[in-house]
Amino acid sequence: MSNKSSATPPNLSQDFLNLLRCPVAVHYKDKGSDPGKLRLVQGCWLVCDDSGYKYPVVDGIPRMLVEIGEKYKDTPENSLPVPPPED
């Protein structure tokens, strides 16, 4: 059984999630025409495959600060804390 979830957190619409991009990877010129796409993992993390950055969704709000995404970059997806910390 996979830890990955496609369920959208209650306060986020799928349309909104489709618009979000990683603030680091969106600047990449070598990742195609639409870099920085995010995918939802464990129902409360946004993961960018282009940069490896991982952003928590806390109380329905994506925490998209570069410093936060970088903090969890090397954390395996199945080791991300659920629920994410609020710091």
Side-chain angles (χ1 to χ4, degrees):
M1 184 170 178
S2 174
N3 285 336
K4 295 179 183 178
S5 171
S6 60
T8 304
N11 296 340
L12 294 179
S13 73
Q14 188 62 47
D15 289 338
F16 180 62
L17 288 175
N18 290 339
L19 293 174
L20 291 177
R21 295 292 179 268
C22 171
V24 173
V26 73
H27 300 288
Y28 291 172
K29 302 294 183 199
D30 62 342
K31 299 291 183 183
S33 63
D34 191 12
K37 288 183 180 180
L38 297 162
R39 59 187 172 83
L40 188 63
V41 173
Q42 296 187 12
C44 56
W45 286 90
L46 298 174
V47 175
C48 176
D49 292 321
D50 292 334
S51 67
Y53 282 38
K54 298 172 181 83
Y55 304 94
V57 178
V58 178
D59 294 329
I61 302 169
R63 303 287 170 98
M64 301 288 295
L65 297 173
V66 172
E67 297 82 15
I68 294 174
E70 185 176 33
K71 178 179 176 181
Y72 294 100
K73 183 176 182 177
D74 295 325
T75 303
E77 290 178 15
N78 61 353
S79 296
L80 291 168
V82 176
E86 293 189 23
D87 59 347

